[in-house]
Amino acid sequence: MTPTAEVGDRRLQQAATGWTQEAIMSLRFVGSDPESGDGNCPAVWVDLESDSGPEVLVQGWLPDDATLEQCSADTPRPPSEGVVRIPARMVPLLRKACDEAERAGLR
């Protein structure tokens, strides 16, 4: 079972990279797919306090094996990384998260 941390009424899984609860608490929820039905997935966050600088986090649907194989042909994927699929209608949320992370990195 993967450890989790409470953030408001949301539960976020602790990443394989060993995030601490303090790091998880720095996440700012940007939004989720308004057409997902239950509002749980896909979703976007920004971590403005990451040790490596601002980062964008994305939750999405897991791709099928053929898609993973094609992605791996383009660039090897280490065990600590994953591939997710999100709908194009979420581009505005991704832009918002990227803009916020970029602004924070320029400070």
Side-chain angles (χ1 to χ4, degrees):
M1 176 173 252
T2 304
T4 60
E6 283 290 332
V7 178
D9 61 354
R10 299 182 190 284
R11 295 179 65 81
L12 301 176
Q13 288 190 343
Q14 188 173 16
T17 56
W19 287 350
T20 63
Q21 184 170 352
E22 292 77 29
I24 291 175
M25 298 303 283
S26 72
L27 295 181
R28 191 183 86 64
F29 180 68
V30 176
S32 62
D33 179 7
E35 296 183 27
S36 67
D38 57 11
N40 292 332
C41 184
V44 181
W45 294 264
V46 176
D47 184 349
L48 299 176
E49 299 176 18
S50 166
D51 290 341
S52 59
E55 297 178 336
V56 175
L57 291 87
V58 178
Q59 174 180 312
W61 300 295
L62 297 176
D64 58 39
D65 290 339
T67 301
L68 284 174
E69 188 175 315
Q70 185 174 358
C71 291
S72 293
D74 292 330
T75 180
R77 188 179 66 258
S80 62
E81 294 181 3
V83 174
V84 295
R85 183 182 295 274
I86 61 169
R89 65 181 170 261
M90 288 196 55
V91 167
L93 285 174
L94 289 170
R95 281 191 188 118
K96 181 177 179 180
C98 290
D99 289 347
E100 185 171 331
E102 184 178 46
R103 279 191 304 273
L106 297 175
R107 293 183 197 153

